[in-house]
Amino acid sequence: MINQFPHKLVLAASLLMVSILGLAETNKQPLVPLASISDYALGDGWSGIYGIKLESLPAYAGAKKYTLEIKPEVAIQWRQGEYSVFLEGSGINGIELGWRGLLQPNWLAQTGLRHETVLPSGDTEAADIDNFPHRGSHILVFFENHYALSNDWKSWLGSRITAGPDSFGYRAKISVGHGLVQKGDGAGIDMVLFSSFGDKKNLNNYFGVSEEDAVASGLQVSELKGGYRSSGLNLIYRTSLKSGKQIKLQAGIEAYSDEVKKSALATDDIETRVALSYLWRY
């Protein structure tokens, strides 16, 4: 467990740039040539990946303490023309079942279901918070759009809305992306700037501390308003190797809003994440 390591973000970003020369060529094409879209179906029919993901991340969103996790990463996809269905994720938390397709040559849409856990006891205990009640797991509905600003998808605008049960509320994310390197097969480097928002229920679901929570854990009561949540930058590098292997490297930084900073759970204003995946395509 590590407190903070912003130097890892710098190292990961450097690796992204240094690795440009290692990108491989292929004649097959994904729906869009973006490294940030996990599209492994390069032709009609079934395809997928399996592999290992090594990730350094906060114990929970807003935590000052970090953990290093090793977990499986899998994806199963079926494609027909310009549409595909997929089941993908890294571990149980964050797994998604959905549909994606090109509605127009410059418009990619995705929709489906997502599983997400909020403040499980193991995560809060890892951050030295005892007896904090588990918020539970949610099955969420998401809808996402990518709109290309040019025919080659060099730059694009994105949006995503996630909604769930009454206790979850809704979360929204807007983004602008640019392909620093594109190889046409999904290999390359994407840079994505984003901002996120949530209603009152959503922000309190992740960062709020009720009176019952305060009695159990000793934290100060924190009731947040809805609105602006955070802004950040993500870098995604993907390269194809021989025999269907892939390497994916992700690095990100996220700064929380003043409203989130009011929470007793948000002990770090700025957090970083670094992940390395080694994958086999089939």
Side-chain angles (χ1 to χ4, degrees), residues 199-277:
D199 66 356
K200 181 177 180 180
K201 291 179 180 178
N202 186 262
L203 260 63
N204 280 289
N205 198 23
Y206 281 86
F207 303 104
V209 180
S210 67
E211 293 183 1
E212 293 79 7
D213 297 335
V215 170
S217 64
L219 296 179
Q220 183 178 353
V221 173
S222 304
E223 184 174 353
L224 308 181
K225 301 177 182 178
Y228 172 56
R229 181 182 185 272
S230 65
S231 290
L233 169 68
N234 288 327
L235 294 171
I236 303 96
Y237 163 69
R238 189 192 304 274
T239 184
S240 299
L241 307 176
K242 294 181 179 180
S243 303
K245 297 180 179 66
Q246 284 194 0
I247 291 177
K248 182 173 64 174
L249 181 61
Q250 299 167 282
I253 185 168
E254 184 172 8
Y256 288 111
S257 68
D258 290 340
E259 184 66 20
V260 172
K261 292 176 187 177
K262 296 176 183 178
S263 170
L265 287 170
T267 54
D268 197 5
D269 297 344
I270 299 177
E271 66 182 36
T272 60
R273 292 171 180 249
V274 179
L276 175 65
S277 301

Side-chain angles (χ1 to χ4, degrees), residues 93-97 110-118 137-145 159-174 195-203 205-206 229:
N93 188 32
I95 194 168
E96 294 182 349
L97 171 66
Q110 301 186 95
T111 187
L113 301 175
R114 174 182 175 87
H115 175 262
E116 201 164 303
T117 58
V118 181
S137 298
H138 301 300
I139 301 298
L140 312 173
V141 177
F142 68 87
F143 183 77
E144 185 172 348
N145 280 296
S159 64
R160 182 180 176 107
I161 297 177
T162 306
D166 186 62
S167 60
F168 179 86
Y170 75 88
R171 182 172 63 228
K173 184 177 182 180
I174 57 174
S195 291
S196 64
F197 308 82
D199 66 356
K200 181 177 180 180
K201 291 179 180 178
N202 186 262
L203 260 63
N205 198 23
Y206 281 86
R229 181 182 185 272

Side-chain angles (χ1 to χ4, degrees), residues 112-135:
L113 301 175
R114 174 182 175 87
H115 175 262
E116 201 164 303
T117 58
V118 181
L119 294 173
S121 299
D123 290 354
T124 51
E125 288 174 358
D128 299 326
I129 301 175
D130 295 328
N131 303 318
F132 194 89
H134 176 31
R135 291 278 161 83

